[in-house]
Structure formats: structure tokens, C-alpha cells
Amino acid sequence: DAGVPPHKIFPDHEGMAEFVKAEAHLESLPYDEATASWIRSHLRQQAADDLRNLIARASPDVIHSKGTACCNLDNAYIPRQEEAKKLTQWLKEGPPFLFVTGEAGVGKTNFVLYSLLRQRDFKSKPFLFFSFKFYRFQAQSNNVRSGGGQELARRLYEIMLPRDSAKYDLEYQQHVARQMIAQGDVVVALDGLDELARVKSQDVVEDVARELHSLFGASPKARVIITCRDHIFERLRRTGALGSAAKRRPFRIKPFSKTTIKKKLKEYFT
């Protein structure tokens, strides 16, 4: 119950480790709690910093690391109560992948970030948020946190693992990070799949879909949110670029009515 996988107990004798585990009727944990606690603490501190920086709105021209220059997370936010209920339900018992779609500028990114940073049910879970706006830039080859593997996995590790993680067993940290996502203990939000399709190509989108499936497709507990403009999502789904991840109906964000917007403006300025 120490939270150490069998292959770490006997790194050169995995068969022996499995034999001991079976004979003693032991059940290995998916990851060790010490490393997981370290990662959770890092992600929660990161979330607190993100919330403070996004609310501050230092400059409308500065693109935050979340890929957005403006995000309403304070009393300027217009609640989407029905959508929030559905998102909470998905968190508790939904499929691993959830596509959040809608028109350009409708508030997909804002809704997801508000849910992750402000909603009670999501605040209890650490999360990582990655914008596909930054996918076009190759990861630095000297960034030891990246390790080997595919592009998306490298980016997720860069966000999840603290900068001083190179001092420790990087491969094992990545194993723990991956298992935390697979077990649904860390929510993943991937923002702007349409940006990837527009700037790169459909082939790159297919690569990402395959990588997501290989990383978490067999993990029913995983929770991965992917935002995309609705018309791009439908095109990618028709061509099969999104694979099995897009079989379920997407979660569509609709524009606010004029009445809702007028009501909020009146509340905000009075």
C-alpha cells in the first residue's frame, strides 16, 4: 500500500514482482501518492496564478499562456447554468472525451476556463489547460521536462511537471502524470482544435486524435475537454479525422440572447 508499482520494486525482475504481487494477493496502485501530491500541488498553484492573471487583464494585447487575451472570470461573466449542470454531470459519469463546440467568439474558452477555475465541482480537481494556438511551435529540445514521446504528450508533461522535476526520475514522473489523467484525477482541457486544423493540416489533427486515443482512449475514467468551432468539428468528424473520440454528440455552446446581454450590462454598470 506504499503506492509503488511492482516494476519499481524489482526493476530488473518484473516477472518476480508480478509473482510476489499475485502470491501475496496484493493490488498495485495506479501511481504513488507522493509524486501525485507533488503534481497536484503544482497544478493548483498554477491555477491560482492563472485566475489572478486572467482577472487582472494587465493588457488586452497580451496573449496569456492559456491562449486568450481576454476572459471574463469575475462578475462580468454571464452564467450558463444549464450548460454548467451538463458539464458537471459529464465530469461525474460521462465518456472520456467531450467536444465543446460553438460559433467563433461565442464563449467556448471562457466557459471552460470559468468552469475549471470557478465552478465548485471542478475546483476540487486539478486540471491542465493547453491551447492549440501554441501547438505550432516545436517544444524546446533542451527542455528536459518534455522527455521522449509525441508532441501532445510532451506539452502535457511540460504543464503538469514542475520546472525542477529534472532532478528526479523524469520517466517515472511522466508515468504518474499519465496515470493521473487516465484515472480522471486530473481534468485535461484542449482549447481550439479548429486553430490546429486551420494553421497546420487535417493530417496533424488526425495525429492528435490518434495520440489522444493511444494515451487515454482505453481509460473510461479519463476526462478530456476539447473545444472547436462547430463547422470545423463537423467537417473533421465527417472526414473521420477525429476517430472514435467524436462518436458522441458534441456539447454545443449557443450565443446569448439579446435580452440576456442587456440584462447583464445593466447589472454590471449600475
Side-chain angles (χ1 to χ4, degrees):
D1 200 32
V4 182
H7 71 275
K8 285 292 177 180
I9 300 174
F10 302 100
D12 299 319
H13 301 87
E14 187 171 347
M16 183 182 291
E18 291 298 325
F19 172 78
V20 171
K21 186 180 77 169
E23 288 297 304
H25 304 287
L26 300 175
E27 194 169 316
S28 62
L29 299 178
Y31 49 77
D32 80 271
E33 185 54 36
T35 303
S37 178
W38 183 50
I39 293 174
R40 283 192 206 100
S41 177
H42 168 67
L43 289 175
R44 286 186 172 127
Q45 183 58 55
Q46 196 167 253
D49 293 342
D50 287 337
L51 180 60
R52 183 175 60 254
N53 292 333
L54 285 167
I55 288 178
R57 300 191 189 98
S59 169
D61 299 321
V62 175
I63 300 296
H64 185 264
S65 64
K66 294 294 177 278
T68 179
C70 182
C71 196
N72 293 325
L73 297 175
D74 50 17
N75 57 356
Y77 180 76
I78 302 178
R80 293 180 178 271
Q81 296 178 349
E82 288 303 313
E83 290 90 338
K85 288 179 184 177
K86 291 178 181 178
L87 195 62
T88 298
Q89 190 65 25
W90 167 79
L91 180 67
K92 294 177 179 178
E93 56 184 17
F97 300 103
L98 177 69
F99 283 90
V100 175
T101 67
E103 300 172 8
V106 77
K108 300 182 293 297
T109 301
N110 206 147
F111 171 71
V112 170
L113 276 173
Y114 186 90
S115 299
L116 294 171
L117 291 164
R118 292 292 212 183
Q119 293 287 10
R120 183 180 60 189
D121 294 294
F122 278 87
K123 282 179 70 176
S124 63
K125 277 186 179 287
F127 72 90
L128 65 87
F129 184 105
F130 175 69
S131 171
F132 279 118
K133 287 181 180 178
F134 302 118
Y135 190 88
R136 72 191 78 169
F137 302 112
Q138 295 299 316
Q140 295 296 320
S141 58
N142 61 351
N143 189 332
V144 293
R145 288 183 297 150
S146 300
Q150 297 170 294
E151 174 71 5
L152 182 60
R154 289 200 301 269
R155 296 312 183 99
L156 299 186
Y157 295 145
E158 285 176 356
I159 296 169
M160 286 189 76
L161 301 178
R163 292 186 181 278
D164 61 352
S165 59
K167 297 186 237 177
Y168 309 101
D169 185 342
L170 182 63
E171 184 179 348
Y172 183 58
Q173 288 176 37
Q174 292 175 349
H175 163 77
V176 172
R178 190 165 57 250
Q179 290 302 312
M180 290 178 75
I181 296 173
Q183 292 295 316
D185 295 332
V186 172
V187 178
V188 176
L190 305 174
D191 187 52
L193 188 63
D194 48 283
E195 292 282 344
L196 194 61
R198 180 177 64 83
V199 176
K200 288 289 191 177
S201 67
Q202 184 170 309
D203 289 341
V204 175
V205 174
E206 291 177 2
D207 288 343
V208 168
R210 281 193 292 269
E211 188 175 354
L212 279 171
H213 182 75
S214 67
L215 287 170
F216 315 117
S219 307
K221 292 182 180 179
R223 290 293 177 266
V224 181
I225 302 170
I226 306 169
T227 71
C228 185
R229 296 182 188 182
D230 43 14
H231 69 286
I232 299 293
F233 171 80
E234 291 300 334
R235 177 170 64 81
L236 292 171
R237 182 161 66 170
R238 282 196 305 270
T239 60
L242 301 177
S244 60
K247 286 183 178 179
R248 292 179 180 268
R249 184 187 298 274
F251 185 100
R252 191 168 189 274
I253 299 294
K254 297 179 181 178
F256 290 115
S257 67
K258 290 182 179 180
T259 302
T260 300
I261 295 173
K262 287 179 180 178
K263 182 180 177 181
K264 187 62 183 181
L265 288 172
K266 186 176 180 180
E267 289 175 0
Y268 191 73
F269 289 107
T270 56

